[in-house]
Amino acid sequence: DVKVTQSSRYLVKRTGEKVFLECVQDMDHENMFWYRQDPGLGLRLIYFSYDVKMKEKGDIPEGYSVSREKKERFSLILESASTNQTSMYLCASRGLAGRMAREQYFGPGTRLTVT
Amino acid sequence: QQQVKQSPQSLIVQKGGIPIINCAYENTAFDYFPWYQQFPGKGPALLIAIRPDVSEKKEGRFTISFNKSAKQFSLHIMDSQPGDSATYFCAASHSGSARQLTFGSGTQLTVLP
């Protein structure tokens, strides 16, 4: 089974802090994604990476950056956390081959609160 | 721009009822339509998916109905159970897009015992 793990389930940070959210997948997937989930808005794509050191902006990249130095790890960085970044953050990965090539596998999420 | 519109936002049914969740899309290039199920405290997980060359797909108690001309698709849950209580997301993607999935806004389903 594919496993996507996120470094923290719950996180509380202060306004202005630099925040790192880590995601690791164990299936050698090429693509990785960061979403934020807010009630009534569904899942909105922040950034995705289609290969090591490669990244593309999603729909709401402002205030975020990402890093992918190794294939299995994708980090989301909030350079200066703000209260409007309080949300659930979901990481996902996707392979490119096989019958399930389009399926995205999600981690359990990190609920971030910025005070 | 919301390319996949989902309704209703919440739904309450009695055990054994048939909840129906609807989605409509705008981009005619979409060629893959999955539904994801999310339980509290968990990430979404793929439930069932359909491609536009068929009008219906059934897996167990879950059925997707697809209407290509209307650009709509829906999820039906037969003989719903309290354990089906979750948030359901429709999504769409096309093979030409590396970013893959565009999600609907989600439906919170509650099945009463």
Side-chain angles (χ1 to χ4, degrees):
Chain A
D1 282 350
V2 175
K3 191 163 186 182
V4 179
T5 57
Q6 296 183 228
S7 52
S8 303
R9 295 299 303 274
Y10 300 93
L11 211 51
V12 180
K13 296 291 182 181
R14 293 191 180 276
T15 301
E17 280 193 82
K18 190 169 186 176
V19 181
F20 293 86
L21 303 183
E22 304 285 339
C23 175
V24 177
Q25 51 96 0
D26 66 356
M27 279 300 291
D28 201 36
H29 282 170
E30 290 80 4
N31 297 169
M32 296 187 75
F33 307 81
W34 275 107
Y35 295 88
R36 64 177 282 176
Q37 180 178 3
D38 300 287
L41 298 177
L43 279 68
R44 293 180 291 167
L45 183 64
I46 304 171
Y47 267 96
F48 68 101
S49 169
Y50 47 91
D51 205 346
V52 176
K53 297 189 186 292
M54 307 301 283
K55 60 187 179 185
E56 280 199 26
K57 294 179 181 179
D59 297 319
I60 51 166
E62 296 78 19
Y64 304 95
S65 62
V66 290
S67 172
R68 193 169 180 200
E69 297 296 319
K70 294 185 177 182
K71 192 175 185 180
E72 68 271 18
R73 188 179 298 269
F74 192 34
S75 302
L76 179 69
I77 303 155
L78 286 67
E79 295 290 341
S80 177
S82 63
T83 55
N84 63 12
Q85 293 178 310
T86 291
S87 185
M88 171 69 83
Y89 289 87
L90 290 162
C91 175
S93 73
R94 181 184 75 100
L96 292 181
R99 186 177 65 85
M100 303 304 290
R102 293 228 194 168
E103 179 176 355
Q104 289 191 17
Y105 296 85
F106 285 85
T110 295
R111 183 164 295 282
L112 172 67
T113 302
V114 182
T115 62
Chain B
Q1 179 188 4
Q2 185 182 5
Q3 294 191 53
V4 179
K5 293 185 178 180
Q6 183 172 346
S7 63
Q9 189 169 357
S10 64
L11 188 54
I12 300 174
V13 299
Q14 294 286 341
K15 177 183 174 182
I18 306 175
I20 301 173
I21 304 170
N22 300 297
C23 286
Y25 62 97
E26 299 165 4
N27 188 344
T28 55
F30 286 147
D31 59 4
Y32 175 69
F33 302 89
W35 285 87
Y36 280 76
Q37 180 187 54
Q38 183 182 29
F39 292 107
K42 304 284 188 181
L46 180 67
L47 181 64
I48 185 173
I50 196 169
R51 297 185 187 276
D53 52 345
V54 297
S55 60
E56 184 176 282
K57 182 173 181 181
K58 183 180 290 187
E59 288 187 5
R61 295 183 294 106
F62 300 91
T63 299
I64 300 178
S65 297
F66 185 82
N67 186 330
K68 189 174 181 178
S69 61
K71 292 187 287 184
Q72 295 175 348
F73 58 110
S74 59
L75 177 70
H76 301 232
I77 306 175
M78 309 301 289
D79 187 26
S80 59
Q81 302 295 313
D84 297 328
S85 297
T87 301
Y88 293 82
F89 294 96
C90 62
S93 73
H94 62 88
S95 54
S97 169
R99 62 167 287 164
Q100 286 296 300
L101 296 172
T102 300
F103 284 88
S105 55
T107 297
Q108 186 166 348
L109 171 66
T110 302
V111 181
L112 300 175

